[in-house]
Amino acid sequence: MTRETVVRNLWASPALFITAAVIAFVVVRSETAVRVGWLLYAVGWLPPLAALGICAARKESPGAGGAFALAVLVLFGFFFWLNHA
């Protein structure tokens, strides 16, 4: 597996965490599930931040995948906040 493949997978991984958080927030809807949903959302930030660190260390641009991953996290974080504020 190449470094590029690893970085691409890190950029794509927030989709899994966001999907799990949506299931916790919308399908399960218990108080514990809401806490787990927020935890999953927060942990979803770790892989793209790691990929950003790898790109910064190699002085490479994160590209469109990086911008999209971070934008999706920000957007869904806002939606989750609106839903639970």
Side-chain angles (χ1 to χ4, degrees):
M1 190 179 310
T2 66
R3 181 198 55 78
E4 182 180 340
T5 303
V6 171
V7 171
R8 284 185 182 182
N9 286 328
L10 288 172
W11 286 129
S13 65
L16 300 172
F17 291 100
I18 288 173
T19 302
V22 166
I23 290 169
F25 287 137
V26 176
V27 176
V28 180
R29 289 187 165 196
S30 69
E31 188 165 323
T32 303
V34 170
R35 288 185 186 140
V36 169
W38 282 116
L39 181 65
L40 288 167
Y41 170 72
V43 171
W45 280 89
L46 297 178
L49 291 177
L52 192 62
I54 291 169
C55 288
R58 294 188 171 260
K59 297 181 182 175
E60 297 175 351
S61 171
F68 183 75
L70 296 174
V72 165
L73 281 165
V74 169
L75 181 67
F76 272 88
F78 179 69
F79 289 152
F80 294 156
W81 176 76
L82 282 178
N83 194 33
H84 292 95

